[in-house]
Amino acid sequence: PELAALREQGRSLREQLRQLEAEESDLEQRFYLGALQLPNRTHPAAPPPFPSPVFDFKPKGHLELGEGLDIIRQKRLSHVSGHRSYYLCGAGALLQHALVTFTLQKLLSKGFLPMTVPDLLRGAVFEGCGVQPSATPSQVYTIDPARFEDLCLAGTSEVGIAGYFMDHAVQLQDLPVRVVCSSTCYRTETDTGREPWGLYRVHQFTKVEMFGVTAAERGTESEELLDEFLGLQKEIFSELGLHYR
């Protein structure tokens, strides 16, 4: 009789557990979807908008300069690759390669780990980076779900690097990890059909990314690494002789 009672108690506990697991799944889904709606806060040190500079001559934009030098082509491409696309030719193509190489060498000398990442990643990795592939409208290209289930093109190598560390333990003594990656970025910019205004809001471009993984023992590690990255950006722009803010 005692064994029978224990078996009955076990069956009752299993039934309770089944109901609780269903409730847990429902709550997790509700709170997870709610958490996805929370925006990132603007960093308190972010500067206010800066007024446009005043020149004593008529300045030219990079598109006008590039077209005059025949190193950028962005006109008459709708029949080739649609709007928001461009070609870099001659010195323009060489300049892009040179900038990528310059930046990679600079960051490798600072101890960064070089990495190449997949362009195609699953939706959960995007969501972990604060990007929702299913949003309307979405900046993410989704591959035909009839052929490839849950695969999207990354708009930044940040997503691929984050995916590398997703569900991945890092030894405390190995932190911070500094990663550098050059990748092609794909974004479904919606500013189509209008007169192009240069190499902004384009569907595809190349970018070098700095990515860091820090501890949170003191609560200041992330801020310190951000300051380090900011200093490196200033160093890169200064060595290139470029104005920046």
Side-chain angles (χ1 to χ4, degrees):
E2 186 179 353
L3 178 60
L6 288 171
R7 284 179 170 173
E8 181 60 33
Q9 184 182 1
R11 281 192 289 270
S12 176
L13 288 171
R14 281 197 299 272
E15 178 59 25
Q16 292 178 45
L17 185 61
R18 186 184 66 81
Q19 294 176 3
L20 288 171
E21 284 175 342
E23 184 180 349
E24 178 193 31
S25 177
D26 179 62
L27 287 170
E28 185 177 83
Q29 184 73 358
R30 281 167 51 197
F31 280 103
Y32 179 71
L33 293 175
L36 289 178
Q37 304 299 318
L38 297 175
N40 288 326
R41 293 181 179 178
T42 301
H43 194 279
F50 190 68
S52 299
V54 178
F55 300 96
D56 58 2
F57 59 91
K58 184 180 180 182
K60 294 182 178 180
H62 69 274
L63 184 59
E64 186 179 359
L65 290 168
E67 288 177 339
L69 294 169
D70 199 25
I71 63 175
I72 298 174
R73 179 186 168 190
Q74 198 174 36
K75 294 179 179 177
R76 300 177 300 280
L77 292 180
S78 60
H79 66 296
V80 177
S81 53
H83 295 279
R84 314 310 307 142
S85 58
Y86 62 94
Y87 281 80
L88 298 177
C89 309
L94 293 175
L95 178 61
Q96 174 172 293
H97 286 292
L99 287 170
V100 169
T101 302
F102 169 80
T103 309
L104 285 173
Q105 290 178 343
K106 162 68 70 176
L107 297 175
L108 290 176
S109 71
K110 303 290 186 179
F112 278 68
L113 171 70
M115 190 178 286
T116 62
V117 298
D119 288 332
L120 288 168
L121 296 148
R122 298 200 177 277
V125 190
F126 287 84
E127 289 179 352
C129 295
V131 179
Q132 296 185 53
S134 58
T136 305
S138 174
Q139 281 200 333
V140 179
Y141 283 109
T142 302
I143 304 302
D144 182 3
R147 298 186 61 199
F148 305 98
E149 185 180 358
D150 188 30
L151 280 178
C152 306
L153 278 169
T156 167
S157 60
E158 171 195 333
V159 183
I161 303 171
Y164 180 86
F165 290 100
M166 183 176 173
D167 304 322
H168 176 74
V170 182
Q171 295 294 324
L172 186 63
Q173 63 267 24
D174 295 333
L175 297 175
V177 179
R178 301 169 180 84
V179 178
V180 59
C181 178
S182 172
S183 73
T184 304
C185 305
Y186 305 91
R187 302 186 183 183
T188 63
E189 298 291 354
T190 55
D191 189 19
T192 57
R194 302 180 185 177
E195 187 67 23
W197 51 286
L199 307 190
Y200 295 113
R201 303 297 179 200
V202 290
H203 293 301
Q204 174 184 331
F205 58 94
T206 299
K207 177 165 64 72
V208 178
E209 180 91 16
M210 288 190 286
F211 188 100
V213 180
T214 75
E217 300 294 295
R218 293 178 282 104
T220 59
E221 291 92 341
S222 179
E223 187 84 14
E224 291 165 0
L225 193 60
L226 175 64
D227 289 340
E228 179 186 321
F229 283 8
L230 182 60
L232 286 168
Q233 289 177 319
K234 292 178 179 179
E235 193 174 318
I236 289 168
F237 275 89
S238 296
E239 290 188 16
L240 291 170
L242 297 174
H243 296 277
Y244 62 88
R245 186 173 189 272

